Amino acid sequence: MKKQVDLVIEARWLCPIVPKNTLLEYQSVVIQSGKIVDICAITSASDLYQANEIVQLTEHVLIPGLINLHTHAAMSLMRGVADDLTLMTWLSEHIWPAEQAVLSEQYVQDASLLACAEMLSGGITCFNDMYFYPKATSVAASQAGIRANLGLVVLEFPTAYATDAADYLQKGFDAHDSWRGNPLISTCIAPHAPYTVSNQTFETVLTYAEQLGLGIHTHLHETRDEIAQSQTEFGLRPLQRLAQLGLLGPNFLAAHGVHLIDSEIDMLAEFGCHIAHCPSSNLKLASGIAPISKLLAKGVNVGLGTDGAASNNRLDLFAEMRLSALLAKGMSEDATVIPAHQALEMATINAAKAMGLEDKIGSIEIGKLADLTAVKLNESIINPCYDPISHLVYTCGREHVSHTWVTGELRYSNGLYANIEPLELKEIINMWQPKLQLHKH
Amino acid sequence: MKKQVDLVIEARWLCPIVPKNTLLEYQSVVIQSGKIVDICAITSASDLYQANEIVQLTEHVLIPGLINLHTHAAMSLMRGVADDLTLMTWLSEHIWPAEQAVLSEQYVQDASLLACAEMLSGGITCFNDMYFYPKATSVAASQAGIRANLGLVVLEFPTAYATDAADYLQKGFDAHDSWRGNPLISTCIAPHAPYTVSNQTFETVLTYAEQLGLGIHTHLHETRDEIAQSQTEFGLRPLQRLAQLGLLGPNFLAAHGVHLIDSEIDMLAEFGCHIAHCPSSNLKLASGIAPISKLLAKGVNVGLGTDGAASNNRLDLFAEMRLSALLAKGMSEDATVIPAHQALEMATINAAKAMGLEDKIGSIEIGKLADLTAVKLNESIINPCYDPISHLVYTCGREHVSHTWVTGELRYSNGLYANIEPLELKEIINMWQPKLQLHKH
């Protein structure tokens, strides 16, 4: 007798990420209660399983849902509010004034919903976020049905959200309590950056992170100025300072890591730290180019992030996969660096590891959650296709994503969202754009 | 009485490129006999003109058709046939054997038609090509209705197409004769590269180019090896060698220009030469990163090219605009380098200048040909839009192109081509892919 299951996805091609650089053909992924319970030939699956629903992907490659390892979802409404400016002009004359004008729980929920829509339509099933009002972000993510690892942001200076470091932490833990039991939301602590967080606060963060078993996510070595400032103020480069404070370890995720000297790369490797590489944002803000091929060669775990929409201006991991692979080849003058399968690993399993979620997501394996993305390869202008893995990185764009599932639930398909109305997004844009426009000079 | 005209395009936004960095709103572009005869407010145009057809672009930005300044259209069928390999392995073990197996007039016509379809759908209205059997490319371009500046390729070694330099030239001029009077096709002479063309052939090319008033298009300083080899063989860097042969001047277009020392940048500026910058291809083949901000600062005219689909793997100028702007900022660590409007100029008017076609195309001006591209900005996930020019470069992709006109004729719109059947492209792919697959190791 056939076994009853919720969903069988029949895929022309399957790229499970684990095992490494593997491409399977004509495979069924069998899903029950949101989990992958079997992966086998389409013919075997139809012998073994009676599915409530069968989705036939006859011209598609099925991959694990992409994971955006560093973003600020609520900056989606600031997409293109200011470009082509030096970092400090951009921040102090454009982004911070715009942020001050709108920052509120409702703003963060609305802007995060738009970002969740954008990410789902681009095959992203999980994002690692850092922003004010994380509770509002969790509401948006829960509505959209996308997975989120939400940083409890901490910094010293007051905003509409919180007054000081203790207040940020308090509000963060309140948020954390609010989403207990929500299967889509997980937590880390997110001290904003070495230049906005004191030693004492970093120590407090470390204590809480250890007590609660949470990861730490911070901006690190993004610009030369950050490093120079730290040397002036502390007599140390930021990474050295955090090392002295005891923060480095396998629960430590540094976003950017653009400017790293060899001994720092060794230190990151030794402590088992993780890097969220954000190549578009690093180029656009002229921060520089992270030494990714060196980091990978030393065994540092590197995932990919879009950063916020204000500095990218797309929340698009297809763009980041392509750019990270191309950039590493060009910089190292070695075309074999970051082959296509490794760029895909950075956008999936590596990111899952960096968040401590590799037992749940990041690959298509039995027992993992069914966070899955289908990419349709039939369009003539992206053919012929000799190797779907190469195509995913070098040829396809996010416009080729046809289906996005989270925990086995279809959240996006062919331009439509399960839980977001098109009109809802238009209304959000129409409400907030005029308020932000005022702060565009 | 209203004046009768062929077509009026009413655009929510108009980015004419000339004058520089200009964005107009609610403008009509009035077209008669393939030319732009007026640009004025939508309300004025409806008072002045009786149009056979009115196209209302209520949520779009209208730009000049994009110009792909360096490509090998017929390599479209080799898209992704081999990736992540060093240049010489890629060429000698994959591309050249594959090329030898298929190279023929029919192959070039078929593969070029696929490339023309891809380019039209991405808003490209003109391409500057270099490949064997240019007559076949002209047949494909004429069918698709896309403008092409076709290089009469010349090199020393024999292929299925020609036996020696004299034969390449003879076949080139035969092709040139075949498309006389074809309004879509123009010509240049395309000595392949310094490492495949002798001094004597370069001199012959120069004589013909001067006699016939044709431009010269060659690969130059793409890799370090090319330069080292030239120093060994000629005691000169390739640019010096070509300078001594008298080739440099305002009719000289160098593709790539990755490795250029300061004195060479000065020389290119002094002689009024042009560069076709191909950032994706240069990164993917690990050739390096061209010093574009230096070239622009010295006044060298720089356009953008995709190179062939085998080394990109998209014929997508939206990707090249974004990458060129981001890369120049990151490399120079100056976010103000290549602002959005300049990336657009590189993909339009600069490329027109480089081909000597700036009196006909490259901007939306009265008297120019109506080569136009509409980009639809209404999709929620690319909104809000504070500045359509920024959006074109940093946020949009080619998937947002809704209409492409060449000489006032609609050639592509919403997934359909005026003169190419979807089935025709499928048949081309199905016919050639198996033959090329054999040569994929």
Side-chain angles (χ1 to χ4, degrees), chain A residues 77 83-84 224 312 314 322 329 378 386 390 394-395 426, chain B residues 77 83-84 224 312 314 322 329 333 378 386 390 394-395 426:
Chain A
L77 289 163
D83 306 283
D84 303 323
R224 290 190 197 280
N312 188 313
R314 294 163 70 102
R322 178 178 157 101
K329 295 176 204 303
N378 72 323
Y386 299 98
S390 151
Y394 299 124
T395 303
K426 296 275 181 209
Chain B
L77 289 163
D83 305 281
D84 304 322
R224 290 190 198 280
N312 186 314
R314 294 162 70 100
R322 178 177 157 101
K329 294 177 205 303
E333 296 192 23
N378 71 324
Y386 299 97
S390 152
Y394 299 124
T395 303
K426 296 274 181 210

PDB file of all heavy atoms in Angstrom, chain A residues 77 83-84 224 312 314 322 329 378 386 390 394-395 426, chain B residues 77 83-84 224 312 314 322 329 333 378 386 390 394-395 426:
ATOM      1  N   LEU A  77      12.126  50.267   1.571  1.00  0.00           N
ATOM      2  CA  LEU A  77      11.467  51.497   1.108  1.00  0.00           C
ATOM      3  C   LEU A  77      12.468  52.625   0.846  1.00  0.00           C
ATOM      4  O   LEU A  77      12.102  53.669   0.323  1.00  0.00           O
ATOM      5  CB  LEU A  77      10.396  51.932   2.111  1.00  0.00           C
ATOM      6  CG  LEU A  77       9.155  51.026   2.153  1.00  0.00           C
ATOM      7  CD1 LEU A  77       8.345  51.262   3.421  1.00  0.00           C
ATOM      8  CD2 LEU A  77       8.276  51.259   0.932  1.00  0.00           C
ATOM      9  N   ASP A  83      22.089  57.567  -4.147  1.00  0.00           N
ATOM     10  CA  ASP A  83      23.113  56.700  -4.741  1.00  0.00           C
ATOM     11  C   ASP A  83      24.328  57.534  -5.111  1.00  0.00           C
ATOM     12  O   ASP A  83      24.261  58.755  -5.171  1.00  0.00           O
ATOM     13  CB  ASP A  83      22.602  56.068  -6.049  1.00  0.00           C
ATOM     14  CG  ASP A  83      21.301  55.338  -5.887  1.00  0.00           C
ATOM     15  OD1 ASP A  83      21.319  54.218  -5.365  1.00  0.00           O
ATOM     16  OD2 ASP A  83      20.258  55.892  -6.276  1.00  0.00           O
ATOM     17  N   ASP A  84      25.410  56.828  -5.426  1.00  0.00           N
ATOM     18  CA  ASP A  84      26.594  57.459  -6.000  1.00  0.00           C
ATOM     19  C   ASP A  84      27.184  58.522  -5.080  1.00  0.00           C
ATOM     20  O   ASP A  84      27.659  59.557  -5.538  1.00  0.00           O
ATOM     21  CB  ASP A  84      26.255  58.080  -7.379  1.00  0.00           C
ATOM     22  CG  ASP A  84      25.679  57.041  -8.345  1.00  0.00           C
ATOM     23  OD1 ASP A  84      26.133  55.885  -8.312  1.00  0.00           O
ATOM     24  OD2 ASP A  84      24.768  57.392  -9.114  1.00  0.00           O
ATOM     25  N   ARG A 224      37.681  51.189   5.564  1.00  0.00           N
ATOM     26  CA  ARG A 224      38.984  51.573   6.109  1.00  0.00           C
ATOM     27  C   ARG A 224      38.821  52.547   7.286  1.00  0.00           C
ATOM     28  O   ARG A 224      39.579  52.491   8.244  1.00  0.00           O
ATOM     29  CB  ARG A 224      39.820  52.269   5.037  1.00  0.00           C
ATOM     30  CG  ARG A 224      40.284  51.343   3.947  1.00  0.00           C
ATOM     31  CD  ARG A 224      41.311  52.051   3.062  1.00  0.00           C
ATOM     32  NE  ARG A 224      41.453  51.343   1.809  1.00  0.00           N
ATOM     33  CZ  ARG A 224      42.193  50.239   1.661  1.00  0.00           C
ATOM     34  NH1 ARG A 224      42.861  49.739   2.682  1.00  0.00           N
ATOM     35  NH2 ARG A 224      42.264  49.637   0.490  1.00  0.00           N
ATOM     36  N   ASN A 312      22.070  48.520  -2.492  1.00  0.00           N
ATOM     37  CA  ASN A 312      22.323  47.357  -3.359  1.00  0.00           C
ATOM     38  C   ASN A 312      21.893  47.552  -4.804  1.00  0.00           C
ATOM     39  O   ASN A 312      22.754  47.384  -5.657  1.00  0.00           O
ATOM     40  CB  ASN A 312      21.639  46.101  -2.778  1.00  0.00           C
ATOM     41  CG  ASN A 312      22.031  44.854  -3.538  1.00  0.00           C
ATOM     42  OD1 ASN A 312      22.013  44.830  -4.763  1.00  0.00           O
ATOM     43  ND2 ASN A 312      22.435  43.807  -2.838  1.00  0.00           N
ATOM     44  N   ARG A 314      18.951  45.761  -4.891  1.00  0.00           N
ATOM     45  CA  ARG A 314      18.087  44.595  -5.065  1.00  0.00           C
ATOM     46  C   ARG A 314      18.364  43.610  -3.935  1.00  0.00           C
ATOM     47  O   ARG A 314      19.512  43.396  -3.574  1.00  0.00           O
ATOM     48  CB  ARG A 314      18.409  43.852  -6.374  1.00  0.00           C
ATOM     49  CG  ARG A 314      18.117  44.598  -7.636  1.00  0.00           C
ATOM     50  CD  ARG A 314      18.839  43.980  -8.834  1.00  0.00           C
ATOM     51  NE  ARG A 314      18.333  42.684  -9.252  1.00  0.00           N
ATOM     52  CZ  ARG A 314      17.529  42.483 -10.293  1.00  0.00           C
ATOM     53  NH1 ARG A 314      17.137  43.497 -11.044  1.00  0.00           N
ATOM     54  NH2 ARG A 314      17.122  41.278 -10.616  1.00  0.00           N
ATOM     55  N   ARG A 322      26.296  35.430  -8.687  1.00  0.00           N
ATOM     56  CA  ARG A 322      27.052  35.708  -9.909  1.00  0.00           C
ATOM     57  C   ARG A 322      28.219  36.649  -9.617  1.00  0.00           C
ATOM     58  O   ARG A 322      29.360  36.387  -9.998  1.00  0.00           O
ATOM     59  CB  ARG A 322      26.103  36.320 -10.942  1.00  0.00           C
ATOM     60  CG  ARG A 322      26.751  36.706 -12.250  1.00  0.00           C
ATOM     61  CD  ARG A 322      25.707  37.251 -13.236  1.00  0.00           C
ATOM     62  NE  ARG A 322      26.343  38.089 -14.219  1.00  0.00           N
ATOM     63  CZ  ARG A 322      26.648  37.715 -15.469  1.00  0.00           C
ATOM     64  NH1 ARG A 322      26.330  36.516 -15.900  1.00  0.00           N
ATOM     65  NH2 ARG A 322      27.255  38.527 -16.298  1.00  0.00           N
ATOM     66  N   LYS A 329      37.149  35.607  -9.193  1.00  0.00           N
ATOM     67  CA  LYS A 329      38.008  35.215 -10.324  1.00  0.00           C
ATOM     68  C   LYS A 329      38.826  36.403 -10.818  1.00  0.00           C
ATOM     69  O   LYS A 329      40.037  36.309 -11.031  1.00  0.00           O
ATOM     70  CB  LYS A 329      37.132  34.707 -11.482  1.00  0.00           C
ATOM     71  CG  LYS A 329      36.368  33.431 -11.187  1.00  0.00           C
ATOM     72  CD  LYS A 329      35.443  33.076 -12.368  1.00  0.00           C
ATOM     73  CE  LYS A 329      34.283  32.213 -11.938  1.00  0.00           C
ATOM     74  NZ  LYS A 329      34.629  30.961 -11.280  1.00  0.00           N
ATOM     75  N   ASN A 378      13.451  26.917 -19.134  1.00  0.00           N
ATOM     76  CA  ASN A 378      13.021  26.671 -20.517  1.00  0.00           C
ATOM     77  C   ASN A 378      13.092  27.871 -21.450  1.00  0.00           C
ATOM     78  O   ASN A 378      13.032  27.698 -22.664  1.00  0.00           O
ATOM     79  CB  ASN A 378      11.577  26.149 -20.514  1.00  0.00           C
ATOM     80  CG  ASN A 378      10.605  27.259 -20.158  1.00  0.00           C
ATOM     81  OD1 ASN A 378      10.910  28.116 -19.320  1.00  0.00           O
ATOM     82  ND2 ASN A 378       9.457  27.264 -20.805  1.00  0.00           N
ATOM     83  N   TYR A 386      23.803  23.488 -20.835  1.00  0.00           N
ATOM     84  CA  TYR A 386      24.642  22.287 -20.769  1.00  0.00           C
ATOM     85  C   TYR A 386      24.811  21.808 -19.337  1.00  0.00           C
ATOM     86  O   TYR A 386      25.124  20.655 -19.092  1.00  0.00           O
ATOM     87  CB  TYR A 386      26.017  22.569 -21.389  1.00  0.00           C
ATOM     88  CG  TYR A 386      25.934  22.951 -22.847  1.00  0.00           C
ATOM     89  CD1 TYR A 386      25.954  24.275 -23.242  1.00  0.00           C
ATOM     90  CD2 TYR A 386      25.789  21.972 -23.829  1.00  0.00           C
ATOM     91  CE1 TYR A 386      25.846  24.632 -24.578  1.00  0.00           C
ATOM     92  CE2 TYR A 386      25.686  22.327 -25.166  1.00  0.00           C
ATOM     93  CZ  TYR A 386      25.711  23.647 -25.531  1.00  0.00           C
ATOM     94  OH  TYR A 386      25.591  23.987 -26.849  1.00  0.00           O
ATOM     95  N   SER A 390      25.860  25.579 -13.523  1.00  0.00           N
ATOM     96  CA  SER A 390      26.449  26.775 -14.134  1.00  0.00           C
ATOM     97  C   SER A 390      25.354  27.785 -14.459  1.00  0.00           C
ATOM     98  O   SER A 390      25.508  28.991 -14.210  1.00  0.00           O
ATOM     99  CB  SER A 390      27.200  26.385 -15.422  1.00  0.00           C
ATOM    100  OG  SER A 390      27.213  27.452 -16.348  1.00  0.00           O
ATOM    101  N   TYR A 394      25.518  31.702 -13.498  1.00  0.00           N
ATOM    102  CA  TYR A 394      26.024  32.613 -14.532  1.00  0.00           C
ATOM    103  C   TYR A 394      24.966  33.083 -15.526  1.00  0.00           C
ATOM    104  O   TYR A 394      25.152  34.095 -16.191  1.00  0.00           O
ATOM    105  CB  TYR A 394      27.176  31.954 -15.295  1.00  0.00           C
ATOM    106  CG  TYR A 394      28.345  31.606 -14.426  1.00  0.00           C
ATOM    107  CD1 TYR A 394      28.841  30.302 -14.357  1.00  0.00           C
ATOM    108  CD2 TYR A 394      28.963  32.582 -13.648  1.00  0.00           C
ATOM    109  CE1 TYR A 394      29.915  29.984 -13.542  1.00  0.00           C
ATOM    110  CE2 TYR A 394      30.033  32.268 -12.830  1.00  0.00           C
ATOM    111  CZ  TYR A 394      30.504  30.969 -12.773  1.00  0.00           C
ATOM    112  OH  TYR A 394      31.559  30.657 -11.962  1.00  0.00           O
ATOM    113  N   THR A 395      23.877  32.358 -15.670  1.00  0.00           N
ATOM    114  CA  THR A 395      22.935  32.684 -16.746  1.00  0.00           C
ATOM    115  C   THR A 395      21.572  33.128 -16.226  1.00  0.00           C
ATOM    116  O   THR A 395      21.004  34.095 -16.720  1.00  0.00           O
ATOM    117  CB  THR A 395      22.778  31.466 -17.689  1.00  0.00           C
ATOM    118  OG1 THR A 395      24.059  31.108 -18.185  1.00  0.00           O
ATOM    119  CG2 THR A 395      21.854  31.802 -18.853  1.00  0.00           C
ATOM    120  N   LYS A 426       1.362  47.748  -3.018  1.00  0.00           N
ATOM    121  CA  LYS A 426       1.184  49.082  -3.636  1.00  0.00           C
ATOM    122  C   LYS A 426       0.826  50.120  -2.571  1.00  0.00           C
ATOM    123  O   LYS A 426       1.332  51.245  -2.582  1.00  0.00           O
ATOM    124  CB  LYS A 426       0.043  49.047  -4.668  1.00  0.00           C
ATOM    125  CG  LYS A 426       0.285  48.141  -5.852  1.00  0.00           C
ATOM    126  CD  LYS A 426       1.074  48.841  -6.940  1.00  0.00           C
ATOM    127  CE  LYS A 426       1.278  47.909  -8.129  1.00  0.00           C
ATOM    128  NZ  LYS A 426       2.503  48.205  -8.865  1.00  0.00           N
TER     129      LYS A 426
ATOM    130  N   LEU B  77      25.112  29.843 -28.749  1.00  0.00           N
ATOM    131  CA  LEU B  77      24.851  28.415 -28.541  1.00  0.00           C
ATOM    132  C   LEU B  77      25.928  27.746 -27.698  1.00  0.00           C
ATOM    133  O   LEU B  77      25.791  26.586 -27.309  1.00  0.00           O
ATOM    134  CB  LEU B  77      24.691  27.704 -29.890  1.00  0.00           C
ATOM    135  CG  LEU B  77      23.393  28.057 -30.639  1.00  0.00           C
ATOM    136  CD1 LEU B  77      23.490  27.664 -32.115  1.00  0.00           C
ATOM    137  CD2 LEU B  77      22.183  27.368 -29.994  1.00  0.00           C
ATOM    138  N   ASP B  83      32.833  26.438 -18.069  1.00  0.00           N
ATOM    139  CA  ASP B  83      32.990  27.563 -17.151  1.00  0.00           C
ATOM    140  C   ASP B  83      34.081  27.233 -16.140  1.00  0.00           C
ATOM    141  O   ASP B  83      34.466  26.085 -15.996  1.00  0.00           O
ATOM    142  CB  ASP B  83      31.696  27.809 -16.349  1.00  0.00           C
ATOM    143  CG  ASP B  83      30.487  28.005 -17.213  1.00  0.00           C
ATOM    144  OD1 ASP B  83      30.324  29.111 -17.751  1.00  0.00           O
ATOM    145  OD2 ASP B  83      29.705  27.046 -17.362  1.00  0.00           O
ATOM    146  N   ASP B  84      34.483  28.268 -15.411  1.00  0.00           N
ATOM    147  CA  ASP B  84      35.360  28.091 -14.254  1.00  0.00           C
ATOM    148  C   ASP B  84      36.684  27.442 -14.630  1.00  0.00           C
ATOM    149  O   ASP B  84      37.234  26.640 -13.883  1.00  0.00           O
ATOM    150  CB  ASP B  84      34.645  27.254 -13.165  1.00  0.00           C
ATOM    151  CG  ASP B  84      33.310  27.873 -12.746  1.00  0.00           C
ATOM    152  OD1 ASP B  84      33.240  29.106 -12.667  1.00  0.00           O
ATOM    153  OD2 ASP B  84      32.353  27.125 -12.504  1.00  0.00           O
ATOM    154  N   ARG B 224      47.253  39.409 -19.372  1.00  0.00           N
ATOM    155  CA  ARG B 224      48.695  39.614 -19.145  1.00  0.00           C
ATOM    156  C   ARG B 224      49.517  38.786 -20.132  1.00  0.00           C
ATOM    157  O   ARG B 224      50.568  39.226 -20.599  1.00  0.00           O
ATOM    158  CB  ARG B 224      49.069  39.186 -17.721  1.00  0.00           C
ATOM    159  CG  ARG B 224      48.528  40.100 -16.660  1.00  0.00           C
ATOM    160  CD  ARG B 224      49.163  39.741 -15.305  1.00  0.00           C
ATOM    161  NE  ARG B 224      48.363  40.304 -14.229  1.00  0.00           N
ATOM    162  CZ  ARG B 224      48.432  41.577 -13.837  1.00  0.00           C
ATOM    163  NH1 ARG B 224      49.260  42.409 -14.425  1.00  0.00           N
ATOM    164  NH2 ARG B 224      47.673  42.017 -12.863  1.00  0.00           N
ATOM    165  N   ASN B 312      30.101  34.867 -20.486  1.00  0.00           N
ATOM    166  CA  ASN B 312      29.419  35.956 -19.751  1.00  0.00           C
ATOM    167  C   ASN B 312      28.439  35.468 -18.696  1.00  0.00           C
ATOM    168  O   ASN B 312      28.596  35.882 -17.547  1.00  0.00           O
ATOM    169  CB  ASN B 312      28.707  36.902 -20.733  1.00  0.00           C
ATOM    170  CG  ASN B 312      28.127  38.116 -20.017  1.00  0.00           C
ATOM    171  OD1 ASN B 312      27.495  37.984 -18.962  1.00  0.00           O
ATOM    172  ND2 ASN B 312      28.349  39.306 -20.531  1.00  0.00           N
ATOM    173  N   ARG B 314      25.407  35.930 -20.272  1.00  0.00           N
ATOM    174  CA  ARG B 314      24.205  36.641 -20.687  1.00  0.00           C
ATOM    175  C   ARG B 314      24.599  37.767 -21.630  1.00  0.00           C
ATOM    176  O   ARG B 314      25.589  38.441 -21.391  1.00  0.00           O
ATOM    177  CB  ARG B 314      23.518  37.297 -19.480  1.00  0.00           C
ATOM    178  CG  ARG B 314      22.948  36.376 -18.456  1.00  0.00           C
ATOM    179  CD  ARG B 314      22.685  37.079 -17.122  1.00  0.00           C
ATOM    180  NE  ARG B 314      21.596  38.036 -17.145  1.00  0.00           N
ATOM    181  CZ  ARG B 314      20.352  37.783 -16.686  1.00  0.00           C
ATOM    182  NH1 ARG B 314      20.074  36.599 -16.182  1.00  0.00           N
ATOM    183  NH2 ARG B 314      19.424  38.698 -16.730  1.00  0.00           N
ATOM    184  N   ARG B 322      25.204  47.821 -14.497  1.00  0.00           N
ATOM    185  CA  ARG B 322      25.284  47.730 -13.034  1.00  0.00           C
ATOM    186  C   ARG B 322      26.700  47.358 -12.596  1.00  0.00           C
ATOM    187  O   ARG B 322      27.282  47.989 -11.712  1.00  0.00           O
ATOM    188  CB  ARG B 322      24.261  46.685 -12.549  1.00  0.00           C
ATOM    189  CG  ARG B 322      24.273  46.457 -11.054  1.00  0.00           C
ATOM    190  CD  ARG B 322      23.170  45.457 -10.647  1.00  0.00           C
ATOM    191  NE  ARG B 322      23.495  44.829  -9.397  1.00  0.00           N
ATOM    192  CZ  ARG B 322      22.972  45.158  -8.205  1.00  0.00           C
ATOM    193  NH1 ARG B 322      22.068  46.096  -8.130  1.00  0.00           N
ATOM    194  NH2 ARG B 322      23.347  44.548  -7.112  1.00  0.00           N
ATOM    195  N   LYS B 329      33.440  51.847  -8.630  1.00  0.00           N
ATOM    196  CA  LYS B 329      33.384  52.414  -7.269  1.00  0.00           C
ATOM    197  C   LYS B 329      34.243  51.588  -6.309  1.00  0.00           C
ATOM    198  O   LYS B 329      35.032  52.132  -5.532  1.00  0.00           O
ATOM    199  CB  LYS B 329      31.934  52.404  -6.759  1.00  0.00           C
ATOM    200  CG  LYS B 329      30.995  53.307  -7.525  1.00  0.00           C
ATOM    201  CD  LYS B 329      29.559  53.170  -6.992  1.00  0.00           C
ATOM    202  CE  LYS B 329      28.517  53.520  -8.019  1.00  0.00           C
ATOM    203  NZ  LYS B 329      28.615  54.844  -8.603  1.00  0.00           N
ATOM    204  N   GLU B 333      37.538  52.855  -4.660  1.00  0.00           N
ATOM    205  CA  GLU B 333      37.077  53.229  -3.311  1.00  0.00           C
ATOM    206  C   GLU B 333      36.522  54.658  -3.295  1.00  0.00           C
ATOM    207  O   GLU B 333      36.726  55.421  -2.355  1.00  0.00           O
ATOM    208  CB  GLU B 333      38.177  52.990  -2.259  1.00  0.00           C
ATOM    209  CG  GLU B 333      38.505  51.488  -2.168  1.00  0.00           C
ATOM    210  CD  GLU B 333      39.372  51.098  -0.964  1.00  0.00           C
ATOM    211  OE1 GLU B 333      39.395  51.832   0.038  1.00  0.00           O
ATOM    212  OE2 GLU B 333      40.017  50.016  -1.034  1.00  0.00           O
ATOM    213  N   ASN B 378       6.732  49.465 -12.824  1.00  0.00           N
ATOM    214  CA  ASN B 378       5.601  49.379 -11.884  1.00  0.00           C
ATOM    215  C   ASN B 378       5.667  48.211 -10.899  1.00  0.00           C
ATOM    216  O   ASN B 378       4.948  48.203  -9.909  1.00  0.00           O
ATOM    217  CB  ASN B 378       4.290  49.284 -12.653  1.00  0.00           C
ATOM    218  CG  ASN B 378       4.143  47.942 -13.335  1.00  0.00           C
ATOM    219  OD1 ASN B 378       5.127  47.375 -13.817  1.00  0.00           O
ATOM    220  ND2 ASN B 378       2.933  47.427 -13.360  1.00  0.00           N
ATOM    221  N   TYR B 386      12.570  56.446  -6.587  1.00  0.00           N
ATOM    222  CA  TYR B 386      12.789  57.876  -6.346  1.00  0.00           C
ATOM    223  C   TYR B 386      13.444  58.532  -7.552  1.00  0.00           C
ATOM    224  O   TYR B 386      13.349  59.729  -7.727  1.00  0.00           O
ATOM    225  CB  TYR B 386      13.655  58.089  -5.099  1.00  0.00           C
ATOM    226  CG  TYR B 386      13.019  57.540  -3.838  1.00  0.00           C
ATOM    227  CD1 TYR B 386      13.359  56.291  -3.340  1.00  0.00           C
ATOM    228  CD2 TYR B 386      12.035  58.265  -3.171  1.00  0.00           C
ATOM    229  CE1 TYR B 386      12.748  55.782  -2.199  1.00  0.00           C
ATOM    230  CE2 TYR B 386      11.422  57.756  -2.036  1.00  0.00           C
ATOM    231  CZ  TYR B 386      11.790  56.516  -1.557  1.00  0.00           C
ATOM    232  OH  TYR B 386      11.175  56.007  -0.443  1.00  0.00           O
ATOM    233  N   SER B 390      18.617  56.133 -11.621  1.00  0.00           N
ATOM    234  CA  SER B 390      19.232  55.195 -10.676  1.00  0.00           C
ATOM    235  C   SER B 390      18.624  53.798 -10.834  1.00  0.00           C
ATOM    236  O   SER B 390      19.348  52.791 -10.842  1.00  0.00           O
ATOM    237  CB  SER B 390      19.040  55.702  -9.236  1.00  0.00           C
ATOM    238  OG  SER B 390      19.008  54.631  -8.322  1.00  0.00           O
ATOM    239  N   TYR B 394      20.748  50.394 -11.145  1.00  0.00           N
ATOM    240  CA  TYR B 394      20.980  49.649  -9.904  1.00  0.00           C
ATOM    241  C   TYR B 394      19.856  48.698  -9.524  1.00  0.00           C
ATOM    242  O   TYR B 394      20.067  47.775  -8.738  1.00  0.00           O
ATOM    243  CB  TYR B 394      21.224  50.624  -8.742  1.00  0.00           C
ATOM    244  CG  TYR B 394      22.433  51.493  -8.948  1.00  0.00           C
ATOM    245  CD1 TYR B 394      22.344  52.881  -8.911  1.00  0.00           C
ATOM    246  CD2 TYR B 394      23.684  50.925  -9.201  1.00  0.00           C
ATOM    247  CE1 TYR B 394      23.467  53.681  -9.111  1.00  0.00           C
ATOM    248  CE2 TYR B 394      24.797  51.714  -9.412  1.00  0.00           C
ATOM    249  CZ  TYR B 394      24.683  53.088  -9.370  1.00  0.00           C
ATOM    250  OH  TYR B 394      25.796  53.868  -9.576  1.00  0.00           O
ATOM    251  N   THR B 395      18.649  48.931 -10.012  1.00  0.00           N
ATOM    252  CA  THR B 395      17.516  48.147  -9.531  1.00  0.00           C
ATOM    253  C   THR B 395      16.896  47.267 -10.615  1.00  0.00           C
ATOM    254  O   THR B 395      16.593  46.100 -10.376  1.00  0.00           O
ATOM    255  CB  THR B 395      16.448  49.092  -8.924  1.00  0.00           C
ATOM    256  OG1 THR B 395      17.046  49.861  -7.889  1.00  0.00           O
ATOM    257  CG2 THR B 395      15.279  48.297  -8.368  1.00  0.00           C
ATOM    258  N   LYS B 426      13.488  27.457 -30.443  1.00  0.00           N
ATOM    259  CA  LYS B 426      13.563  26.112 -29.846  1.00  0.00           C
ATOM    260  C   LYS B 426      14.226  25.138 -30.817  1.00  0.00           C
ATOM    261  O   LYS B 426      15.049  24.296 -30.432  1.00  0.00           O
ATOM    262  CB  LYS B 426      12.151  25.586 -29.525  1.00  0.00           C
ATOM    263  CG  LYS B 426      11.403  26.390 -28.470  1.00  0.00           C
ATOM    264  CD  LYS B 426      11.729  25.923 -27.060  1.00  0.00           C
ATOM    265  CE  LYS B 426      10.957  26.733 -26.045  1.00  0.00           C
ATOM    266  NZ  LYS B 426      11.662  26.874 -24.773  1.00  0.00           N
TER     267      LYS B 426
END
